[in-house]
Amino acid sequence: GGTRFSGLYLWKELFQRGHEVVLFNRGKTAAKILPRESEEDFNKRVANTRVIKGNRQDAEDLKAKLSGESFDVIYDMNGREASDTAPLADIFNGRVEHFVYMSSAGVYKKSLIMPH
């Protein structure tokens, strides 16, 4: 993720705090400048972020692209079902200090009651 919704803001915040950020996504959505972010800051953030392109719904692709990687923290921002997250959790089981799972209202059953 990292190119839309809350992942975009998380990327900016982590980068501004001096963290090395690596995004894993399909590479289909271009990075966006955020409100009140200068073009210079945006270009710096993009230039200093590594992007690994892959498909999270393909467990073999995840393994091929991420097995050799090492991270202190993983933010999983895009899982909607256990099957989306299980391969990622398996790859980094015992190898990552913090695994933070964040999702959206899209994971809940449709309802007329707000929020939905």
Side-chain angles (χ1 to χ4, degrees), residues 13-39:
E13 184 68 24
L14 292 172
F15 181 76
Q16 285 181 325
R17 291 180 181 221
H19 297 282
E20 179 183 344
V21 179
V22 177
L23 302 179
F24 179 87
N25 60 46
R26 294 171 296 170
K28 293 184 176 190
T29 303
K32 296 175 187 73
I33 192 167
L34 288 166
R36 297 182 300 280
E37 181 178 35
S38 71
E39 190 170 331

PDB file of all heavy atoms in Angstrom, residues 13-39:
ATOM      1  N   GLU A  13       4.072  10.377   7.470  1.00  0.00           N
ATOM      2  CA  GLU A  13       4.402  10.555   8.888  1.00  0.00           C
ATOM      3  C   GLU A  13       5.673   9.800   9.269  1.00  0.00           C
ATOM      4  O   GLU A  13       6.553  10.342   9.941  1.00  0.00           O
ATOM      5  CB  GLU A  13       3.229  10.090   9.750  1.00  0.00           C
ATOM      6  CG  GLU A  13       3.418  10.311  11.224  1.00  0.00           C
ATOM      7  CD  GLU A  13       3.423  11.765  11.654  1.00  0.00           C
ATOM      8  OE1 GLU A  13       2.837  12.617  10.936  1.00  0.00           O
ATOM      9  OE2 GLU A  13       4.009  12.066  12.712  1.00  0.00           O
ATOM     10  N   LEU A  14       5.776   8.544   8.858  1.00  0.00           N
ATOM     11  CA  LEU A  14       6.976   7.764   9.172  1.00  0.00           C
ATOM     12  C   LEU A  14       8.212   8.385   8.544  1.00  0.00           C
ATOM     13  O   LEU A  14       9.269   8.478   9.180  1.00  0.00           O
ATOM     14  CB  LEU A  14       6.806   6.313   8.700  1.00  0.00           C
ATOM     15  CG  LEU A  14       5.763   5.486   9.454  1.00  0.00           C
ATOM     16  CD1 LEU A  14       5.546   4.150   8.763  1.00  0.00           C
ATOM     17  CD2 LEU A  14       6.165   5.295  10.902  1.00  0.00           C
ATOM     18  N   PHE A  15       8.098   8.817   7.305  1.00  0.00           N
ATOM     19  CA  PHE A  15       9.229   9.437   6.623  1.00  0.00           C
ATOM     20  C   PHE A  15       9.646  10.725   7.336  1.00  0.00           C
ATOM     21  O   PHE A  15      10.835  10.956   7.569  1.00  0.00           O
ATOM     22  CB  PHE A  15       8.905   9.707   5.149  1.00  0.00           C
ATOM     23  CG  PHE A  15      10.047  10.327   4.413  1.00  0.00           C
ATOM     24  CD1 PHE A  15      11.138   9.559   4.031  1.00  0.00           C
ATOM     25  CD2 PHE A  15      10.057  11.686   4.138  1.00  0.00           C
ATOM     26  CE1 PHE A  15      12.214  10.135   3.373  1.00  0.00           C
ATOM     27  CE2 PHE A  15      11.135  12.264   3.479  1.00  0.00           C
ATOM     28  CZ  PHE A  15      12.210  11.491   3.106  1.00  0.00           C
ATOM     29  N   GLN A  16       8.674  11.553   7.694  1.00  0.00           N
ATOM     30  CA  GLN A  16       8.987  12.815   8.366  1.00  0.00           C
ATOM     31  C   GLN A  16       9.665  12.593   9.714  1.00  0.00           C
ATOM     32  O   GLN A  16      10.446  13.427  10.154  1.00  0.00           O
ATOM     33  CB  GLN A  16       7.723  13.652   8.568  1.00  0.00           C
ATOM     34  CG  GLN A  16       7.237  14.308   7.305  1.00  0.00           C
ATOM     35  CD  GLN A  16       5.994  15.147   7.538  1.00  0.00           C
ATOM     36  OE1 GLN A  16       5.134  14.822   8.360  1.00  0.00           O
ATOM     37  NE2 GLN A  16       5.897  16.239   6.795  1.00  0.00           N
ATOM     38  N   ARG A  17       9.381  11.476  10.342  1.00  0.00           N
ATOM     39  CA  ARG A  17       9.994  11.169  11.639  1.00  0.00           C
ATOM     40  C   ARG A  17      11.358  10.487  11.489  1.00  0.00           C
ATOM     41  O   ARG A  17      11.946  10.055  12.475  1.00  0.00           O
ATOM     42  CB  ARG A  17       9.063  10.301  12.471  1.00  0.00           C
ATOM     43  CG  ARG A  17       7.832  11.053  12.923  1.00  0.00           C
ATOM     44  CD  ARG A  17       6.922  10.176  13.737  1.00  0.00           C
ATOM     45  NE  ARG A  17       5.744  10.910  14.150  1.00  0.00           N
ATOM     46  CZ  ARG A  17       5.205  10.814  15.354  1.00  0.00           C
ATOM     47  NH1 ARG A  17       5.744  10.029  16.257  1.00  0.00           N
ATOM     48  NH2 ARG A  17       4.128  11.508  15.647  1.00  0.00           N
ATOM     49  N   GLY A  18      11.812  10.350  10.254  1.00  0.00           N
ATOM     50  CA  GLY A  18      13.156   9.838  10.019  1.00  0.00           C
ATOM     51  C   GLY A  18      13.271   8.341   9.829  1.00  0.00           C
ATOM     52  O   GLY A  18      14.385   7.802   9.809  1.00  0.00           O
ATOM     53  N   HIS A  19      12.167   7.661   9.662  1.00  0.00           N
ATOM     54  CA  HIS A  19      12.210   6.215   9.465  1.00  0.00           C
ATOM     55  C   HIS A  19      12.486   5.875   8.001  1.00  0.00           C
ATOM     56  O   HIS A  19      12.069   6.587   7.097  1.00  0.00           O
ATOM     57  CB  HIS A  19      10.887   5.571   9.885  1.00  0.00           C
ATOM     58  CG  HIS A  19      10.594   5.733  11.331  1.00  0.00           C
ATOM     59  ND1 HIS A  19      11.195   4.970  12.300  1.00  0.00           N
ATOM     60  CD2 HIS A  19       9.757   6.594  11.975  1.00  0.00           C
ATOM     61  CE1 HIS A  19      10.742   5.345  13.477  1.00  0.00           C
ATOM     62  NE2 HIS A  19       9.881   6.327  13.318  1.00  0.00           N
ATOM     63  N   GLU A  20      13.164   4.769   7.794  1.00  0.00           N
ATOM     64  CA  GLU A  20      13.340   4.231   6.441  1.00  0.00           C
ATOM     65  C   GLU A  20      12.046   3.510   6.087  1.00  0.00           C
ATOM     66  O   GLU A  20      11.604   2.619   6.816  1.00  0.00           O
ATOM     67  CB  GLU A  20      14.512   3.249   6.421  1.00  0.00           C
ATOM     68  CG  GLU A  20      14.762   2.626   5.085  1.00  0.00           C
ATOM     69  CD  GLU A  20      15.878   1.599   5.131  1.00  0.00           C
ATOM     70  OE1 GLU A  20      16.658   1.577   6.097  1.00  0.00           O
ATOM     71  OE2 GLU A  20      15.961   0.804   4.186  1.00  0.00           O
ATOM     72  N   VAL A  21      11.437   3.890   4.980  1.00  0.00           N
ATOM     73  CA  VAL A  21      10.135   3.335   4.601  1.00  0.00           C
ATOM     74  C   VAL A  21      10.270   2.512   3.328  1.00  0.00           C
ATOM     75  O   VAL A  21      10.883   2.947   2.356  1.00  0.00           O
ATOM     76  CB  VAL A  21       9.091   4.458   4.389  1.00  0.00           C
ATOM     77  CG1 VAL A  21       7.746   3.877   3.975  1.00  0.00           C
ATOM     78  CG2 VAL A  21       8.944   5.299   5.656  1.00  0.00           C
ATOM     79  N   VAL A  22       9.685   1.315   3.365  1.00  0.00           N
ATOM     80  CA  VAL A  22       9.612   0.439   2.196  1.00  0.00           C
ATOM     81  C   VAL A  22       8.132   0.147   1.977  1.00  0.00           C
ATOM     82  O   VAL A  22       7.449  -0.287   2.897  1.00  0.00           O
ATOM     83  CB  VAL A  22      10.385  -0.880   2.418  1.00  0.00           C
ATOM     84  CG1 VAL A  22      10.227  -1.793   1.212  1.00  0.00           C
ATOM     85  CG2 VAL A  22      11.841  -0.611   2.729  1.00  0.00           C
ATOM     86  N   LEU A  23       7.656   0.387   0.776  1.00  0.00           N
ATOM     87  CA  LEU A  23       6.268   0.099   0.437  1.00  0.00           C
ATOM     88  C   LEU A  23       6.203  -1.182  -0.385  1.00  0.00           C
ATOM     89  O   LEU A  23       7.065  -1.420  -1.223  1.00  0.00           O
ATOM     90  CB  LEU A  23       5.655   1.235  -0.389  1.00  0.00           C
ATOM     91  CG  LEU A  23       5.658   2.633   0.216  1.00  0.00           C
ATOM     92  CD1 LEU A  23       5.042   3.621  -0.768  1.00  0.00           C
ATOM     93  CD2 LEU A  23       4.919   2.658   1.533  1.00  0.00           C
ATOM     94  N   PHE A  24       5.184  -1.975  -0.136  1.00  0.00           N
ATOM     95  CA  PHE A  24       4.906  -3.145  -0.970  1.00  0.00           C
ATOM     96  C   PHE A  24       3.537  -2.918  -1.585  1.00  0.00           C
ATOM     97  O   PHE A  24       2.533  -2.788  -0.877  1.00  0.00           O
ATOM     98  CB  PHE A  24       4.904  -4.433  -0.141  1.00  0.00           C
ATOM     99  CG  PHE A  24       4.608  -5.665  -0.959  1.00  0.00           C
ATOM    100  CD1 PHE A  24       5.637  -6.329  -1.602  1.00  0.00           C
ATOM    101  CD2 PHE A  24       3.316  -6.150  -1.105  1.00  0.00           C
ATOM    102  CE1 PHE A  24       5.374  -7.468  -2.371  1.00  0.00           C
ATOM    103  CE2 PHE A  24       3.032  -7.269  -1.859  1.00  0.00           C
ATOM    104  CZ  PHE A  24       4.076  -7.934  -2.501  1.00  0.00           C
ATOM    105  N   ASN A  25       3.496  -2.826  -2.903  1.00  0.00           N
ATOM    106  CA  ASN A  25       2.212  -2.646  -3.584  1.00  0.00           C
ATOM    107  C   ASN A  25       2.324  -3.130  -5.022  1.00  0.00           C
ATOM    108  O   ASN A  25       3.393  -3.528  -5.467  1.00  0.00           O
ATOM    109  CB  ASN A  25       1.721  -1.196  -3.492  1.00  0.00           C
ATOM    110  CG  ASN A  25       2.671  -0.205  -4.104  1.00  0.00           C
ATOM    111  OD1 ASN A  25       3.179  -0.407  -5.199  1.00  0.00           O
ATOM    112  ND2 ASN A  25       2.908   0.895  -3.396  1.00  0.00           N
ATOM    113  N   ARG A  26       1.222  -3.058  -5.734  1.00  0.00           N
ATOM    114  CA  ARG A  26       1.178  -3.544  -7.119  1.00  0.00           C
ATOM    115  C   ARG A  26       1.841  -2.579  -8.096  1.00  0.00           C
ATOM    116  O   ARG A  26       2.070  -2.927  -9.250  1.00  0.00           O
ATOM    117  CB  ARG A  26      -0.266  -3.796  -7.553  1.00  0.00           C
ATOM    118  CG  ARG A  26      -0.919  -4.929  -6.784  1.00  0.00           C
ATOM    119  CD  ARG A  26      -2.378  -5.009  -7.077  1.00  0.00           C
ATOM    120  NE  ARG A  26      -2.995  -3.760  -6.586  1.00  0.00           N
ATOM    121  CZ  ARG A  26      -4.226  -3.395  -6.826  1.00  0.00           C
ATOM    122  NH1 ARG A  26      -5.010  -4.144  -7.562  1.00  0.00           N
ATOM    123  NH2 ARG A  26      -4.712  -2.283  -6.346  1.00  0.00           N
ATOM    124  N   GLY A  27       2.108  -1.369  -7.657  1.00  0.00           N
ATOM    125  CA  GLY A  27       2.715  -0.381  -8.543  1.00  0.00           C
ATOM    126  C   GLY A  27       1.730   0.197  -9.541  1.00  0.00           C
ATOM    127  O   GLY A  27       2.133   0.752 -10.558  1.00  0.00           O
ATOM    128  N   LYS A  28       0.444   0.099  -9.254  1.00  0.00           N
ATOM    129  CA  LYS A  28      -0.565   0.573 -10.196  1.00  0.00           C
ATOM    130  C   LYS A  28      -1.049   1.990  -9.892  1.00  0.00           C
ATOM    131  O   LYS A  28      -1.634   2.639 -10.751  1.00  0.00           O
ATOM    132  CB  LYS A  28      -1.769  -0.372 -10.201  1.00  0.00           C
ATOM    133  CG  LYS A  28      -1.438  -1.739 -10.771  1.00  0.00           C
ATOM    134  CD  LYS A  28      -2.674  -2.604 -10.860  1.00  0.00           C
ATOM    135  CE  LYS A  28      -2.322  -3.925 -11.537  1.00  0.00           C
ATOM    136  NZ  LYS A  28      -3.494  -4.697 -11.863  1.00  0.00           N
ATOM    137  N   THR A  29      -0.833   2.459  -8.660  1.00  0.00           N
ATOM    138  CA  THR A  29      -1.298   3.786  -8.269  1.00  0.00           C
ATOM    139  C   THR A  29      -0.095   4.677  -8.002  1.00  0.00           C
ATOM    140  O   THR A  29       0.759   4.341  -7.180  1.00  0.00           O
ATOM    141  CB  THR A  29      -2.181   3.703  -6.998  1.00  0.00           C
ATOM    142  OG1 THR A  29      -3.268   2.812  -7.256  1.00  0.00           O
ATOM    143  CG2 THR A  29      -2.722   5.064  -6.619  1.00  0.00           C
ATOM    144  N   ALA A  30      -0.043   5.794  -8.684  1.00  0.00           N
ATOM    145  CA  ALA A  30       1.076   6.725  -8.509  1.00  0.00           C
ATOM    146  C   ALA A  30       1.014   7.377  -7.132  1.00  0.00           C
ATOM    147  O   ALA A  30      -0.064   7.581  -6.571  1.00  0.00           O
ATOM    148  CB  ALA A  30       1.023   7.800  -9.593  1.00  0.00           C
ATOM    149  N   ALA A  31       2.178   7.707  -6.604  1.00  0.00           N
ATOM    150  CA  ALA A  31       2.245   8.435  -5.336  1.00  0.00           C
ATOM    151  C   ALA A  31       1.587   9.798  -5.514  1.00  0.00           C
ATOM    152  O   ALA A  31       1.632  10.382  -6.590  1.00  0.00           O
ATOM    153  CB  ALA A  31       3.696   8.597  -4.913  1.00  0.00           C
ATOM    154  N   LYS A  32       0.969  10.274  -4.430  1.00  0.00           N
ATOM    155  CA  LYS A  32       0.266  11.545  -4.489  1.00  0.00           C
ATOM    156  C   LYS A  32       0.848  12.525  -3.482  1.00  0.00           C
ATOM    157  O   LYS A  32       1.203  12.147  -2.375  1.00  0.00           O
ATOM    158  CB  LYS A  32      -1.210  11.344  -4.162  1.00  0.00           C
ATOM    159  CG  LYS A  32      -1.964  10.494  -5.141  1.00  0.00           C
ATOM    160  CD  LYS A  32      -3.386  10.257  -4.643  1.00  0.00           C
ATOM    161  CE  LYS A  32      -4.129   9.286  -5.498  1.00  0.00           C
ATOM    162  NZ  LYS A  32      -3.690   7.915  -5.335  1.00  0.00           N
ATOM    163  N   ILE A  33       0.885  13.791  -3.893  1.00  0.00           N
ATOM    164  CA  ILE A  33       1.268  14.843  -2.976  1.00  0.00           C
ATOM    165  C   ILE A  33       0.086  15.083  -2.037  1.00  0.00           C
ATOM    166  O   ILE A  33      -1.072  15.035  -2.460  1.00  0.00           O
ATOM    167  CB  ILE A  33       1.680  16.126  -3.741  1.00  0.00           C
ATOM    168  CG1 ILE A  33       2.349  17.109  -2.805  1.00  0.00           C
ATOM    169  CG2 ILE A  33       0.511  16.724  -4.492  1.00  0.00           C
ATOM    170  CD1 ILE A  33       3.060  18.245  -3.532  1.00  0.00           C
ATOM    171  N   LEU A  34       0.372  15.286  -0.770  1.00  0.00           N
ATOM    172  CA  LEU A  34      -0.683  15.473   0.218  1.00  0.00           C
ATOM    173  C   LEU A  34      -0.971  16.952   0.452  1.00  0.00           C
ATOM    174  O   LEU A  34      -0.112  17.800   0.188  1.00  0.00           O
ATOM    175  CB  LEU A  34      -0.275  14.817   1.538  1.00  0.00           C
ATOM    176  CG  LEU A  34      -0.302  13.304   1.507  1.00  0.00           C
ATOM    177  CD1 LEU A  34       0.422  12.713   2.697  1.00  0.00           C
ATOM    178  CD2 LEU A  34      -1.727  12.812   1.472  1.00  0.00           C
ATOM    179  N   PRO A  35      -2.144  17.261   0.962  1.00  0.00           N
ATOM    180  CA  PRO A  35      -2.438  18.660   1.281  1.00  0.00           C
ATOM    181  C   PRO A  35      -1.372  19.235   2.217  1.00  0.00           C
ATOM    182  O   PRO A  35      -0.908  18.549   3.129  1.00  0.00           O
ATOM    183  CB  PRO A  35      -3.800  18.581   1.989  1.00  0.00           C
ATOM    184  CG  PRO A  35      -4.421  17.313   1.498  1.00  0.00           C
ATOM    185  CD  PRO A  35      -3.264  16.372   1.280  1.00  0.00           C
ATOM    186  N   ARG A  36      -0.967  20.435   1.969  1.00  0.00           N
ATOM    187  CA  ARG A  36       0.041  21.163   2.762  1.00  0.00           C
ATOM    188  C   ARG A  36       1.441  20.556   2.666  1.00  0.00           C
ATOM    189  O   ARG A  36       2.318  20.904   3.436  1.00  0.00           O
ATOM    190  CB  ARG A  36      -0.403  21.312   4.216  1.00  0.00           C
ATOM    191  CG  ARG A  36      -1.673  22.132   4.365  1.00  0.00           C
ATOM    192  CD  ARG A  36      -2.103  22.344   5.792  1.00  0.00           C
ATOM    193  NE  ARG A  36      -2.375  21.135   6.537  1.00  0.00           N
ATOM    194  CZ  ARG A  36      -3.486  20.413   6.474  1.00  0.00           C
ATOM    195  NH1 ARG A  36      -4.460  20.772   5.684  1.00  0.00           N
ATOM    196  NH2 ARG A  36      -3.642  19.339   7.207  1.00  0.00           N
ATOM    197  N   GLU A  37       1.662  19.658   1.724  1.00  0.00           N
ATOM    198  CA  GLU A  37       3.002  19.102   1.495  1.00  0.00           C
ATOM    199  C   GLU A  37       3.590  19.821   0.293  1.00  0.00           C
ATOM    200  O   GLU A  37       2.970  19.890  -0.761  1.00  0.00           O
ATOM    201  CB  GLU A  37       2.921  17.598   1.221  1.00  0.00           C
ATOM    202  CG  GLU A  37       4.275  16.946   0.998  1.00  0.00           C
ATOM    203  CD  GLU A  37       4.175  15.444   0.769  1.00  0.00           C
ATOM    204  OE1 GLU A  37       3.198  14.983   0.145  1.00  0.00           O
ATOM    205  OE2 GLU A  37       5.093  14.742   1.219  1.00  0.00           O
ATOM    206  N   SER A  38       4.792  20.363   0.451  1.00  0.00           N
ATOM    207  CA  SER A  38       5.415  21.060  -0.671  1.00  0.00           C
ATOM    208  C   SER A  38       5.854  20.059  -1.728  1.00  0.00           C
ATOM    209  O   SER A  38       6.063  18.874  -1.437  1.00  0.00           O
ATOM    210  CB  SER A  38       6.621  21.867  -0.191  1.00  0.00           C
ATOM    211  OG  SER A  38       7.682  20.997   0.161  1.00  0.00           O
ATOM    212  N   GLU A  39       5.995  20.534  -2.933  1.00  0.00           N
ATOM    213  CA  GLU A  39       6.465  19.664  -4.006  1.00  0.00           C
ATOM    214  C   GLU A  39       7.865  19.144  -3.692  1.00  0.00           C
ATOM    215  O   GLU A  39       8.189  17.990  -3.971  1.00  0.00           O
ATOM    216  CB  GLU A  39       6.456  20.420  -5.343  1.00  0.00           C
ATOM    217  CG  GLU A  39       6.699  19.511  -6.525  1.00  0.00           C
ATOM    218  CD  GLU A  39       6.464  20.205  -7.852  1.00  0.00           C
ATOM    219  OE1 GLU A  39       5.642  21.134  -7.918  1.00  0.00           O
ATOM    220  OE2 GLU A  39       7.115  19.784  -8.828  1.00  0.00           O
TER     221      GLU A  39
END
